[in-house]
Amino acid sequence: MAKRVFLIVLDSFGVGEAPDAWRWNDEGSDTLGAVRNDPAFDCPNLASLGLFNIEGVGGGVASAAGVFGRMREASNGKDTTIGHWEIAGLVSEKPLPTYPEGFPPEVIEEFSRLTGRGVLCNRPYSGTDVIRDYGKKHIETGDLIVYTSADSVFQIAAHEDVVPVDELYRYCEIARGMLSGEHGVGRVIARPFAGEWPYFRTPRRHDFSLLPPRDTMLDRISSAGLDVVTVGKIYDIFAGKGIPETECRRTSSNGDGMRQTRELADRDFNGLCFVNLVDFDSAYGHRNDVGGYAAALTAFDRWLGDFLPVLRDGDLLMITADHGCDPSTPSTDHSREYTPLLMFGKTLRTGTDLGTRPTFADISATVLDYLGVTQGDTAGTSFLREAENGISSPDAETVKKLSSLALAARNRSYCPYSGFSVGAALLCADGRIFTGCNIENSAFSPGICAERAAISAAVSAGETHFTAIAIAGGRRGRPPVFCSPCGVCRQTLAEFCTDGFSVIMSDGEKTTVEKLSGLLPYAFRDF
């Protein structure tokens, strides 16, 4: 049976500020929060998959039909290029250059020399405002409108009657060739416009991206002989790396992208269909159009309702985003936010909460895992097993059973020095349970905690996917007390478990259940 992955990026659809949003002055940004109460917002299909069940969102359904979670960006930035690269398994530790004061004179002078045209603006600017303010002078002089934004972009706007589109593309190629090394911006973007003042932008935008510095999941999939099909600006974002040009489908709008994706669902292929729907960002997020953004999500939701029934047994649908762009804030720039992850497929356990993933790259690892392709040196950790077997919060009966086993394991503790006995019971994704107790040593530091004893037993048995752990502790000979994992054990759990992993603490009478993210919100992970 062929396996197909439909990976759809709702460009800029963030679901709340990231913990490091302050670094970008994005505190309080929440793209979903900004649009969900607008009268134009009506997304029952996204809600059914679990959009509002995502941690930090609120208002979820009782029984989600999909798998859900949220993604935290590990890369240093909030740009379209960096976000998509990370989704594809390439984490960018160094930010791409930005130009809040405009490009330096030597860059503009060289560009003007190579193109034979003057330059207007050279400042951060809104794309619609810049043609309003500089369009007339451009038409009078033939000078090119060059501008940037908070993102790593070199944008060139020109009226199609003054500079034919093919010529504008050639100027962009000249700029792309110039802008490398120190000035290696993520994208050079052609921004053609037309009409009389106030002018309008045409759909012939074209992005000339920086070549990804390393292989991504696209290279891995192509090298494995499987199909990579792209819809929207995906080909441009990756500069074609790992993507056959014959499988690139450019779009003029969200509606066009959705139409082409639906057509591909009727096609036999084996591999990845990677889709970007850019209007959320370009037409509504950057324009601070809350109602337009809400209506666009509603349109996508209507399409999704027709798309889900046509998916085949071997299909996996993943819906996510590359950054935020809160249309309700004064800023018109991208925002540093968590992004959503919604999954749907016949092999998945519905209602599974994946919690907060530490990097967008986990999507890449999961896609490769599902397609049976070697991950190589691309970043990320697959959550496929968790999505298929489920890591939802354990039910009351499971909590009771694990707590009982932890209490029993406590009785086997070896703690002659501290006198504090601890037991743990670890539930694996496949249903097996491993117990452990603390084992002390007269040298103290080599002592082993109950949680790590249980984890060691499970890993030694070949199991590394866990759902929950119960812990019980207390002074020997006395009733048990609430006992939470020590810092070392929390970090050890983070090595194997997602933020949605359940930690059960019991004193024999009362029980409390916490998510790992609540006990260790900033776990160290090898990105």
Side-chain angles (χ1 to χ4, degrees):
M1 178 179 64
K3 288 186 175 182
R4 307 187 302 178
V5 178
F6 292 88
L7 174 55
I8 301 177
V9 177
L10 309 184
D11 202 305
S12 84
F13 187 42
V15 293
E17 68 172 273
D20 56 0
W22 60 270
R23 293 178 55 203
W24 285 268
N25 297 315
D26 287 332
E27 299 98 319
S29 292
D30 183 355
T31 302
L32 172 58
V35 302
R36 66 185 295 182
N37 294 320
D38 189 90
F41 183 86
D42 183 22
C43 296
N45 295 301
L46 288 169
S48 175
L49 291 181
L51 175 62
F52 299 106
N53 295 75
I54 293 172
E55 184 178 352
V57 173
V61 296
S63 181
V67 171
F68 53 89
R70 65 180 181 179
M71 316 298 294
R72 180 179 177 185
E73 189 166 12
S75 294
N76 194 345
K78 54 176 182 175
D79 178 76
T80 293
T81 299
I82 280 182
H84 279 79
W85 284 2
E86 185 169 330
I87 289 170
L90 198 165
V91 175
S92 304
E93 297 179 0
K94 183 179 179 181
L96 296 175
T98 56
Y99 297 87
E101 305 299 326
F103 297 95
E106 62 270 22
V107 170
I108 295 300
E109 290 167 5
E110 179 66 4
F111 177 67
S112 182
R113 185 186 70 80
L114 292 173
T115 60
R117 290 181 181 265
V119 169
L120 301 171
C121 187
N122 187 29
R123 294 169 53 197
Y125 231 100
S126 159
T128 51
D129 290 349
V130 80
I131 60 175
R132 178 198 66 202
D133 295 348
Y134 289 92
K136 288 182 179 179
K137 190 170 183 181
H138 157 71
I139 291 174
E140 293 170 0
T141 64
D143 294 346
L144 300 170
I145 303 172
V146 173
Y147 66 106
T148 186
S149 72
D151 298 329
S152 182
V153 291
F154 185 100
Q155 303 187 85
I156 310 171
H159 196 289
E160 293 188 359
D161 290 343
V162 176
V163 179
V165 172
D166 287 344
E167 188 176 353
L168 176 59
Y169 290 167
R170 185 173 67 83
Y171 293 155
C172 288
E173 289 173 346
I174 289 172
R176 182 70 278 171
M178 287 173 44
L179 298 168
S180 59
E182 177 189 359
H183 298 301
V185 295
R187 289 174 293 160
V188 174
I189 307 177
R191 293 288 197 176
F193 63 95
E196 302 294 329
W197 191 93
Y199 312 103
F200 61 89
R201 298 202 291 189
T202 71
R204 285 174 282 278
R205 160 187 171 156
H206 187 54
D207 293 25
F208 297 78
S209 290
L210 192 68
L211 191 71
R214 298 188 302 280
D215 283 354
T216 69
M217 71 173 175
L218 306 179
D219 301 280
R220 298 289 176 192
I221 295 170
S222 295
S223 296
L226 301 181
D227 298 307
V228 174
V229 185
T230 66
V231 177
K233 62 179 185 177
I234 299 296
Y235 186 91
D236 296 339
I237 290 170
F238 290 88
K241 192 173 186 304
I243 306 168
E245 191 169 0
T246 55
E247 297 289 23
C248 162
R249 287 159 173 75
R250 292 191 169 88
T251 60
S252 59
S253 65
N254 274 5
D256 186 29
M258 291 185 283
R259 177 188 61 79
Q260 294 197 51
T261 304
R262 175 61 184 84
E263 290 176 354
L264 286 166
D266 292 331
R267 172 182 152 184
D268 294 328
F269 68 90
N270 189 17
L272 172 67
C273 176
F274 198 175
V275 180
N276 174 278
L277 300 178
V278 72
D279 286 358
F280 297 110
D281 186 47
S282 62
Y284 308 113
H286 286 304
R287 305 281 79 79
N288 283 352
D289 184 353
V290 173
Y293 206 123
L297 284 168
T298 297
F300 174 76
D301 192 84
R302 297 289 183 273
W303 173 86
L304 182 63
D306 294 331
F307 185 72
L308 291 173
V310 306
L311 292 174
R312 304 174 184 176
D313 287 347
D315 290 348
L316 181 66
L317 171 66
M318 306 175 80
I319 300 171
T320 189
D322 53 342
H323 50 72
C325 194
D326 187 336
S328 69
T329 65
S331 169
T332 60
D333 297 325
H334 295 160
S335 43
R336 179 80 168 183
E337 296 185 45
Y338 290 111
T339 58
L341 174 68
L342 299 174
M343 297 174 64
F344 181 83
K346 301 294 177 62
T347 66
L348 306 184
R349 178 167 298 182
T350 60
T352 297
D353 182 359
L354 294 173
T356 300
R357 306 299 301 191
T359 169
F360 296 176
D362 285 0
I363 292 175
S364 166
T366 303
V367 170
L368 294 173
D369 191 6
Y370 186 72
L371 295 176
V373 177
T374 302
Q375 185 172 347
D377 61 356
T378 55
T381 301
S382 173
F383 45 76
L384 180 63
R385 183 87 65 89
E386 297 161 37
E388 291 181 334
N389 295 323
I391 59 163
S392 299
S393 297
D395 57 27
E397 190 61 32
T398 301
V399 170
K400 182 178 179 181
K401 179 179 180 180
L402 292 174
S403 298
S404 177
L405 289 171
L407 288 164
R410 175 183 172 240
N411 294 328
R412 298 190 290 273
S413 167
Y414 179 78
C415 54
Y417 304 101
S418 71
F420 194 89
S421 57
V422 183
L426 178 67
L427 175 63
C428 299
D430 65 0
R432 288 189 291 173
I433 297 174
F434 292 85
T435 61
C437 61
N438 60 320
I439 305 171
E440 295 182 349
N441 185 285
S442 60
F444 288 99
S445 59
I448 302 172
C449 294
E451 300 92 311
R452 282 180 282 143
I455 292 170
S456 297
V459 173
S460 296
E463 184 57 65
T464 57
H465 296 271
F466 309 132
T467 299
I469 192 168
I471 304 161
R475 293 288 176 186
R476 178 178 287 172
R478 298 180 187 177
V481 297
F482 278 110
C483 181
S484 64
C486 72
V488 175
C489 287
R490 296 181 195 201
Q491 181 59 49
T492 303
L493 287 168
E495 182 72 21
F496 297 97
C497 310
T498 69
D499 287 352
F501 177 82
S502 295
V503 180
I504 304 162
M505 292 163 282
S506 175
D507 66 0
E509 298 292 333
K510 298 187 294 296
T511 299
T512 184
V513 182
E514 297 286 346
K515 295 296 185 184
L516 180 58
S517 60
L519 298 178
L520 188 60
Y522 300 103
F524 176 82
R525 292 182 170 96
D526 183 3
F527 297 127

